[in-house]
Amino acid sequence: GAVVSQHPSRVICKSGTSVKIECRSLDFQATTMFWYRQFPKQSLMLMATSNEGSKATYEQGVEKDKFLINHASLTLSTLTVTSAHPEDSSFYICSARLAGGSNEQFFGPGTRLTVL
Amino acid sequence: AQKVTQAQTEISVVEKEDVTLDCVYETRDTTYYLFWYKQPPSGELVFLIRRNSFDEQNEISGRYSWNFQKSTSSFNFTITASQVVDSAVYFCAFYQKVTFGTGTKLQVIP
């Protein structure tokens, strides 16, 4: 089956620093990747949709300058949380959609970010 | 606009009991996909099932079964003879533009 990895799985950083999270599709090409955020005991909220080679589309209320998304290849998308603050602490999950029209998304294992 | 409602926020059952998790969706789309995911305490989303809008056949997989009814816009999930390992948060999700329900936390008490 299609596998999506995320790195790192956990990260703790100081307030004001930037953190990069990688999302990779390991055995398939993904023209579209999605980034979600999940607060404790809440559902997943879509942050942005990233298409390979073009700018990401952000959902309403998500700051594009705060959450930088780069989708440089068909197997890699990165999310950089810039100048992180404690309120950015959350569980970030990416998913990848198979190239070729299928609507199915495959989820990564998530990255738990803690900003001190 | 599309919406997914999981009215049960938390359910507790005693081991070996059957439990049904409800999922109701709203959409104007005629073609869509519905999913169920399990999220154990580790946080990783575990895919359980995908169903497209044209396939209303109910499905059984071991102790898991799903009842998809377009007439009531529901896609309910039943666990038979629940086990402690079933304790998790379960999300129903709707795809065109992906929308997750708020999740149901299931606790199975030994």
Side-chain angles (χ1 to χ4, degrees):
Chain A
V3 179
V4 175
S5 70
Q6 277 184 244
H7 178 80
S9 57
R10 289 179 178 270
V11 57
I12 300 173
C13 69
K14 293 182 179 180
S15 189
T17 61
S18 294
V19 175
K20 180 186 283 188
I21 303 170
E22 291 185 349
C23 176
R24 293 181 185 272
S25 56
L26 297 185
D27 50 1
F28 67 101
Q29 293 186 329
T31 50
T32 304
M33 289 186 172
F34 304 86
W35 286 96
Y36 297 84
R37 184 174 181 175
Q38 185 181 29
F39 289 106
K41 299 185 179 182
Q42 293 190 27
S43 187
L44 283 74
M45 299 302 295
L46 180 65
M47 298 174 65
T49 302
S50 89
N51 292 295
E52 185 263 338
S54 62
K55 289 184 179 179
T57 303
Y58 289 81
E59 295 299 302
Q60 195 173 8
V62 178
E63 299 175 59
K64 57 182 68 176
D65 295 330
K66 173 78 171 172
F67 300 99
L68 301 178
I69 292 172
N70 184 285
H71 192 160
S73 76
L74 286 172
T75 59
L76 174 63
S77 176
T78 60
L79 168 68
T80 302
V81 182
T82 62
S83 187
H85 290 283
E87 57 265 30
D88 299 324
S89 299
S90 191
F91 193 57
Y92 293 87
I93 304 175
C94 75
S95 71
R97 188 162 69 191
L98 277 167
S102 169
N103 227 4
E104 186 163 2
Q105 295 183 29
F106 299 92
F107 286 83
T111 297
R112 191 164 299 283
L113 170 64
T114 302
V115 184
L116 303 176
Chain B
Q2 57 197 45
K3 185 179 175 182
V4 179
T5 301
Q6 292 179 254
Q8 307 146 308
T9 52
E10 282 196 47
I11 302 175
S12 289
V13 297
V14 176
E15 199 171 21
K16 298 184 183 177
E17 285 185 348
D18 298 347
V19 59
T20 295
L21 309 183
D22 298 332
C23 173
V24 175
Y25 62 93
E26 296 175 28
T27 183
R28 292 182 180 176
D29 295 323
T30 55
T31 303
Y32 50 86
Y33 294 86
L34 293 161
F35 291 75
W36 274 96
Y37 291 94
K38 174 182 179 180
Q39 188 178 42
S42 61
E44 182 173 348
L45 281 174
V46 178
F47 167 81
L48 295 178
I49 189 172
R50 177 181 82 161
R51 183 50 46 94
N52 74 50
S53 53
F54 298 107
D55 182 4
E56 284 194 75
Q57 266 194 322
N58 291 329
E59 183 158 337
I60 298 175
S61 176
R63 297 184 296 107
Y64 296 167
S65 62
W66 291 269
N67 184 346
F68 176 29
Q69 293 198 348
K70 285 181 78 171
S71 60
T72 55
S73 297
S74 64
F75 187 39
N76 297 337
F77 171 33
T78 298
I79 302 174
T80 304
S82 60
Q83 300 176 1
V84 173
V85 293
D86 296 327
S87 298
V89 179
Y90 291 85
F91 290 100
C92 178
F94 176 99
Y95 283 10
Q96 274 296 352
K97 178 173 178 178
V98 64
T99 303
F100 276 80
T102 48
T104 297
K105 182 177 180 180
L106 173 65
Q107 183 176 15
V108 180
I109 304 165

